Amino acid sequence: IQSLVGFRGDFYGWDWDIAAAHGETSLQRQQNNDIDSGKFQQALFATSTTTCSDPSNLCSPINIFNPAVPVTAAAAQFVSLNLQVQSLTTQDYVTASASRELGFLQSPWAATPAAVSVGVEYRDESSDYRPDAASQSGLSPGFGQTLPTKGRYDVSEAFGEAIIPIAEDQPLAKSISLELGYRHSDYSTSGTTESFKYGADWAPIEGLRFRGMFQRAVRAASIAELLSPVTTSTGELLVDP
């Protein structure tokens, strides 16, 4: 589900843009015919080919040591385990920006003045991950224990960018310009941080351009990284602990 609304216009030479959005992503996953490790072990302990040592829950024996003895339908049904996971992830954001050319900031070698863009943004993100009791129990030998995760965070940001032409249509300088950018972010989970960029490009002739840029990008931990419980099942072997 995604909904978006926005407005744009101009005000005293500034082009402005305001937008807001709400998004939801839901998951309903069913995993059928996995194996219940507890019942599988119960089915291995048998007094005969038809009777388990512990006959509770209609136990039906399984013999994995003799390929000539097939697994019966009753035994397969006994050790069968169905798993279900539901989750809901939401994101809300509001952003506003304004841009314009600054006539008072113009290089004597360029016909185009500097252009700037400034803005603010607010985002709120939440996630609710709900595995069923069978998933949380860790009975599945293939998936291991899957625990619920629930939480949210928000971030407020302010940003600005500028492109400053230095030279245009000059000898050996079809165009030379500087590019600057800065963003300040305040996360409810990890505090404040800054990211920025600066660089330049030079086109000595039409069709040939050289560009250099230095950037520093920062991101905060996601909800899953922040709130996932520490477990020691096979499900975590994909990630270096």
Side-chain angles (χ1 to χ4, degrees):
I1 299 174
Q2 183 78 29
S3 57
L4 173 68
V5 62
F7 303 93
R8 62 179 54 178
D10 62 86
F11 182 75
Y12 286 98
W14 288 87
D15 294 323
W16 57 266
D17 191 307
I18 300 175
H22 171 77
E24 294 184 3
T25 301
S26 60
L27 167 70
Q28 292 187 349
R29 185 178 68 199
Q30 185 80 29
Q31 299 164 184
N32 294 328
N33 299 318
D34 198 353
I35 294 177
D36 185 319
S37 58
K39 288 186 177 180
F40 190 82
Q41 184 166 348
Q42 182 183 351
L44 290 177
F45 290 94
T47 57
S48 69
T49 58
T50 58
T51 305
C52 297
S53 300
D54 177 4
S56 62
N57 302 315
L58 301 177
C59 177
S60 182
I62 291 179
N63 186 351
I64 63 173
F65 305 104
N66 186 357
V69 180
V71 177
T72 65
Q77 179 65 33
F78 174 69
V79 300
S80 177
L81 177 67
N82 295 333
L83 306 171
Q84 187 179 58
V85 172
Q86 300 181 17
S87 71
L88 177 65
T89 302
T90 65
Q91 182 189 69
D92 296 283
Y93 76 82
V94 179
T95 181
S97 63
S99 60
R100 67 168 299 174
E101 292 184 343
L102 302 178
F104 63 86
L105 186 57
Q106 183 173 343
S107 168
W109 304 287
T112 306
V116 299
S117 177
V118 295
V120 293
E121 184 171 297
Y122 173 80
R123 298 193 311 277
D124 185 290
E125 301 193 20
S126 66
S127 178
D128 187 2
Y129 185 76
R130 303 183 299 274
D132 63 2
S135 299
Q136 295 184 45
S137 68
L139 291 175
S140 167
F143 293 95
Q145 188 179 36
T146 303
L147 297 179
T149 303
K150 183 177 182 179
R152 62 167 295 277
Y153 73 89
D154 61 11
V155 54
S156 301
E157 298 183 298
F159 58 87
E161 293 183 286
I163 296 180
I164 307 173
I166 303 300
E168 295 177 321
D169 297 319
Q170 301 294 323
L172 293 179
K174 181 67 177 176
S175 69
I176 300 176
S177 62
L178 301 178
E179 183 176 342
L180 308 171
Y182 175 80
R183 180 179 291 261
H184 176 84
S185 305
D186 185 2
Y187 289 87
S188 61
T189 50
S190 53
T192 61
T193 187
E194 287 79 31
S195 56
F196 56 84
K197 65 177 181 178
Y198 56 84
D201 68 78
W202 168 43
I205 59 174
E206 187 75 32
L208 178 63
R209 182 180 298 272
F210 301 93
R211 186 170 185 262
M213 180 73 65
F214 179 87
Q215 301 184 50
R216 178 179 187 263
V218 180
R219 77 166 183 88
S222 67
I223 290 177
E225 292 167 333
L226 285 169
L227 302 174
S228 292
V230 178
T231 58
T232 55
S233 66
T234 55
E236 281 66 55
L237 295 180
L238 296 176
V239 180
D240 188 335

